[in-house]
Amino acid sequence: MNIAQDKEQQKRNGWWWKVPLGLFVLVFVGLAIVILSIDSIARSQINKALQRHLTEGGSLGAIELQFVEGRIGLKDLTVNSPKGFGKDPLLVLNQFEVVVDPGSLLDDEIVVEQLNLKDLSLTLVRDKQGHLSLQKLIVPRETETTDDTQGKKPVSMPAVRIDTIRFETVAVHLIDQMRDKQVSANLQLDLNIDDLYLKDLLKLESMSGNTRITLNNIKLTQLQGSDEGEPWQAGLKRLDINAGGVAIDDITQGDVSLDALALEIQEVAVDQPTGFGADDFASLEQFAITTGKLDLKATEHVIDEIRVKGPAASIKVQKDS
């Protein structure tokens, strides 16, 4: 009798560690599934938000989340243009990546190590009534009542320090349908910013950093009727702005200063008006300007150097003057 009771007791004792182990395995497997699926879960939620908050919706191809490294990546983002503003998407983004120091999320200053954007296409349209496509992009929200807004504290953001910002191949297409003759402008943009500090991102206060902005192939085009020949164009091949030690204490008050500024424009060309020939009305090979320390609130500014190369103009008078 005692032998049978001992065996039954041993059998019951053998289960005490198996139950928690089984629960642990189930929890671990569940967490593994969630972690492996978190990218697709996040992408699904973002796509739902795009459809809900944008008038014509949008789509996100892929999202990559690496929490340990503080890395977030987006690929193949498309935002559709509102109705009546053409068939081209308002925004098409091939790749976006931001890397944040995870430890800084618990501090008063967030450190962004990298912010990279590649292959962005932006199409902005103004229709014949003067409305911009951006104004019709977001689904209108219900107006908050006075009771809802009372007692709310002003929204503020923590300080943000960004080590590097790199925008590569940003193409902007502007279309103005409000004029008698439709006007369009195209430009490509490369942007480099280093050591950018933002005290309050929403208020744009206390900004500082080193900035290099490069604009490529800027073109302003006025579309003509089919019987009026080629469209009129004006443009330049490259605009390079290099600003060192930029400091903005209050942008609304013009409190902006920088340690050095170099600006260069290359290959400017402006067409003759319609009916005045095919040669350029005006052209310029190069224009460059460099300065030392600048304070926009100062009453006097010193320019170190101005260089002008290859200016040309062709002014024609027709028989009817």
Side-chain angles (χ1 to χ4, degrees), residues 53-300:
H53 296 295
L54 302 181
T55 54
E56 292 301 312
S59 63
L60 176 65
I63 181 171
E64 181 180 359
L65 303 174
Q66 299 179 10
F67 295 110
V68 176
E69 299 179 4
R71 186 186 304 271
I72 301 175
L74 304 177
K75 290 185 178 180
D76 300 328
L77 174 65
T78 300
V79 175
N80 298 323
S81 293
K83 285 185 179 179
F85 290 90
K87 297 181 179 180
D88 293 332
L90 187 145
L91 181 145
V92 177
L93 174 61
N94 179 29
Q95 184 176 345
F96 173 80
E97 181 185 60
V98 59
V99 181
V100 180
D101 181 4
S104 69
L105 297 176
L106 303 177
D107 297 334
D108 295 333
E109 179 181 294
I110 298 176
V111 178
V112 179
E113 298 175 353
Q114 299 177 35
L115 196 157
N116 302 321
L117 184 150
K118 185 176 181 181
D119 296 333
L120 170 67
S121 175
L122 187 64
T123 302
L124 301 176
V125 180
R126 183 171 72 163
D127 64 14
K128 295 181 179 179
Q129 288 72 39
H131 300 138
L132 296 176
S133 53
L134 284 175
Q135 295 175 299
K136 303 291 184 178
L137 179 63
I138 299 176
V139 175
R141 297 178 58 185
E142 294 183 1
T143 306
E144 294 180 326
T145 62
T146 305
D147 294 337
D148 295 332
T149 58
Q150 285 181 352
K152 288 187 177 181
K153 296 181 179 180
V155 179
S156 62
M157 294 284 290
V160 178
R161 183 176 298 279
I162 306 176
D163 293 340
T164 61
I165 297 176
R166 298 290 181 267
F167 288 1
E168 181 182 345
T169 314
V170 178
V172 182
H173 186 203
L174 306 175
I175 301 175
D176 188 358
Q177 301 175 346
M178 193 174 178
R179 298 171 178 266
D180 295 335
K181 299 177 181 178
Q182 179 175 302
V183 176
S184 65
N186 302 297
L187 66 88
Q188 290 183 349
L189 167 65
D190 295 329
L191 172 65
N192 298 325
I193 299 179
D194 297 313
D195 302 324
L196 179 64
Y197 175 76
L198 301 171
K199 183 179 179 181
D200 192 325
L201 184 61
L202 294 180
K203 296 180 181 178
L204 295 180
E205 292 180 350
S206 296
M207 295 176 57
S208 62
N210 301 311
T211 305
R212 179 169 185 174
I213 301 175
T214 303
L215 304 177
N216 297 315
N217 300 321
I218 302 174
K219 290 183 179 180
L220 174 64
T221 304
Q222 180 171 328
L223 302 180
Q224 314 281 4
S226 58
D227 57 341
E228 297 185 53
E230 295 295 325
W232 178 89
Q233 288 188 344
L236 55 92
K237 183 176 181 180
R238 183 182 178 94
L239 170 62
D240 200 344
I241 303 173
N242 197 342
V246 179
I248 303 175
D249 290 329
D250 189 345
I251 194 170
T252 60
Q253 300 296 325
D255 196 356
V256 180
S257 64
L258 47 88
D259 293 338
L261 173 67
L263 182 148
E264 183 178 7
I265 300 174
Q266 297 179 5
E267 299 186 25
V268 180
V270 180
D271 285 352
Q272 292 277 0
T274 303
F276 283 83
D279 54 332
D280 291 335
F281 169 73
S283 62
L284 178 67
E285 291 185 28
Q286 183 188 38
F287 173 83
I289 182 172
T290 58
T291 71
K293 188 174 181 63
L294 283 178
D295 185 350
L296 297 188
K297 295 185 70 176
T299 58
E300 182 178 288

